[in-house]
Amino acid sequence: MDSKKIYSYFVLVFTFFAFTIISSDAYVQGHKKAPGRRRTPANGLNCDMFHGSWVYDDSYPLYNSSTCPFIDPEFDCKKYGRPDELYLKYRWKPNACELPRFNGQDFLMRWRGKKIMFVGDSLSLNQWQSLNCMLHAAVPNSKTSTSRTGSLATVRFEEYGLSVMYYRTTYLVDIVGEPIGRVLKLDSIDSGSSTWLGVDMLIFNTWHWWTHTGNGQPWDFVESEGQVYKDMDRLVAFSKGLTTWAKWVEANVDPSTTKVFFQGISPTHYLAKDWGEPKAGNCNKQTQPVIGSTYPAGSPPEQAVVSNVIGTMSRPAYLLDITLLSQLRKDGHPSTYSGDHPGVDCSHWCLAGVPDTWNQILYAALL
């Protein structure tokens, strides 16, 4: 073949491939979705899931509380007479993405043979029972078993070998009986932490009890760095105690085998002026969320403490930053429909209800 024919051959081949590439690129460009047509699904990494608003969704709730065998009376609002149902019909919609709908069967398959543990106070109990209800609704005929030993309660989904546990501890750090009385030890976390080892997912929580005083306070003194105090600024004490927890996590938990979450601060609604309705008093008889994406009272200072402490960790726990989305749900509490719980409960949450969204975000973060 002479040089002219070789040259012509290469020109022909180059022209063919150039045309193919340009045509393919034009096809892709012509078939791209218009900006904003479809919101990005959340997977815990590419989206801020914690800023948004509540929207009405008639497909909610995610389960019927009357068919869930795991709900304590204090959270079972429908059973104890709550007459309205609108509070059950709201879905959390982040500004930047769509939360995937919770898929209980997928969750059970992903965590087959594993152990999940909620560690904390009654707000952890609230979230634990919510997750159990969500999983049970997905496999209502699947065998489950329950057990309770001391501070540890377990629901086991037998067919999947999945244990979902709750370990009750109000402060995470220790309260120790000594000759002077009950001492809250901000630098010690020995009493229950051995139980937390060997678990595949840990979801921690504390704050609710740090503000208790008087007869509701389960300690007499505070100890920090070898010094004993009659009391201490509660935010300072909280920061010290949470720092002890963070150090324990870094020293004892292998992030390659155990996922660690912190629940974040669950707000209360005892002061209606916080959401701009001072005459309403508290959460009692509230039937709808705060409209929009902002809460008039702003962020509570304890939320900043949590963020700061987690920010100091070399391998930070995943913060389920549920504060704002929960602040907007002044309607979500048991109020006077809380079993034998006295008074008006504006701290905990009805089930079905707001903790289901916490678990929906947990699910999205695990995808």
Side-chain angles (χ1 to χ4, degrees):
M1 184 179 294
D2 60 35
S3 59
K4 288 185 177 180
K5 288 184 178 181
I6 293 174
Y7 176 78
S8 299
Y9 173 76
F10 278 112
V11 169
L12 179 63
V13 171
F14 176 81
T15 303
F16 172 78
F17 280 108
F19 177 79
T20 301
I21 292 169
I22 293 170
S23 298
S24 298
D25 185 64
Y27 177 85
V28 171
Q29 293 295 329
H31 285 76
K32 283 184 177 179
K33 288 181 170 60
R37 184 177 297 177
R38 183 179 179 184
R39 289 149 61 91
T40 305
N43 65 5
L45 297 175
N46 64 356
C47 169
D48 175 4
M49 296 184 284
F50 306 108
H51 290 84
S53 58
W54 292 93
V55 297
Y56 180 84
D57 189 331
D58 196 50
S59 70
Y60 274 55
L62 298 177
Y63 56 88
N64 187 330
S65 59
S66 66
T67 63
C68 180
F70 307 117
I71 304 178
D72 282 355
E74 64 182 312
F75 310 140
D76 203 349
C77 303
K78 293 303 296 181
K79 181 177 180 179
Y80 288 91
R82 181 162 179 171
D84 59 306
E85 295 191 352
L86 190 59
Y87 74 96
L88 295 168
K89 295 292 185 180
Y90 286 97
R91 171 174 57 85
W92 178 245
K93 183 179 181 181
N95 292 329
C97 57
E98 293 287 352
L99 283 182
R101 193 172 180 90
F102 184 84
N103 186 327
Q105 288 186 325
D106 178 65
F107 189 104
L108 287 162
M109 291 299 295
R110 287 174 182 268
W111 290 88
R112 179 187 288 273
K114 304 293 187 180
K115 295 179 180 179
I116 297 171
M117 185 182 292
F118 292 86
V119 180
D121 56 33
S122 53
L123 277 310
S124 289
L125 175 67
N126 223 170
Q127 187 177 5
W128 174 65
Q129 292 187 356
S130 162
L131 181 59
N132 288 330
C133 289
M134 293 165 78
L135 295 175
H136 179 266
V139 288
N141 298 317
S142 184
K143 182 181 178 181
T144 59
S145 61
T146 60
S147 62
R148 187 179 296 270
T149 304
S151 298
L152 183 65
T154 303
V155 172
R156 182 172 172 82
F157 292 82
E158 298 289 353
E159 293 178 27
Y160 298 88
L162 172 62
S163 295
V164 186
M165 298 174 282
Y166 164 62
Y167 185 91
R168 185 181 186 276
T169 170
T170 49
Y171 293 89
L172 296 181
V173 292
D174 298 333
I175 298 177
V176 178
E178 296 188 350
I180 60 171
R182 302 163 298 174
V183 181
L184 176 63
K185 293 181 172 285
L186 301 180
D187 307 317
S188 173
I189 195 167
D190 298 328
S191 62
S193 56
S194 61
T195 310
W196 313 339
L197 299 174
V199 176
D200 301 287
M201 188 196 313
L202 289 162
I203 305 100
F204 291 97
N205 157 63
T206 184
W207 168 246
H208 184 66
W209 282 79
W210 290 84
T211 61
H212 286 206
T213 59
N215 293 332
Q217 175 183 297
W219 49 267
D220 305 303
F221 297 91
V222 184
E223 182 179 313
S224 175
E225 299 178 357
Q227 298 294 314
V228 177
Y229 306 89
K230 183 61 180 174
D231 205 343
M232 183 183 290
D233 179 281
R234 299 308 173 89
L235 283 174
V236 173
F238 179 52
S239 180
K240 289 176 177 288
L242 204 60
T243 298
T244 298
W245 161 80
K247 290 178 179 178
W248 180 90
V249 169
E250 295 201 297
N252 293 279
V253 178
D254 181 353
S256 69
T257 58
T258 302
K259 294 186 180 297
V260 180
F261 292 84
F262 194 87
Q263 185 197 67
I265 301 298
S266 176
T268 63
H269 288 94
Y270 287 106
L271 298 174
K273 65 180 180 63
D274 287 350
W275 64 86
E277 288 185 80
K279 293 183 179 179
N282 54 38
C283 72
N284 191 29
K285 298 182 179 179
Q286 294 295 314
T287 60
Q288 296 183 51
V290 175
I291 297 172
S293 302
T294 58
Y295 191 65
S299 301
E302 58 270 21
Q303 185 181 18
V305 171
V306 171
S307 296
N308 290 339
V309 170
I310 290 179
T312 66
M313 300 172 71
S314 60
R315 300 186 301 270
Y318 187 110
L319 175 58
L320 293 172
D321 196 2
I322 58 162
T323 304
L324 174 61
L325 68 89
S326 304
Q327 282 180 317
L328 299 175
R329 291 306 305 272
K330 59 186 174 63
D331 59 321
H333 299 285
S335 62
T336 58
Y337 307 104
S338 186
D340 297 326
H341 190 282
V344 178
D345 184 356
C346 298
S347 297
H348 301 99
W349 303 92
C350 294
L351 296 179
V354 173
D356 304 334
T357 295
W358 304 350
N359 285 319
Q360 188 180 4
I361 292 174
L362 174 66
Y363 173 68
L366 293 167
L367 293 179

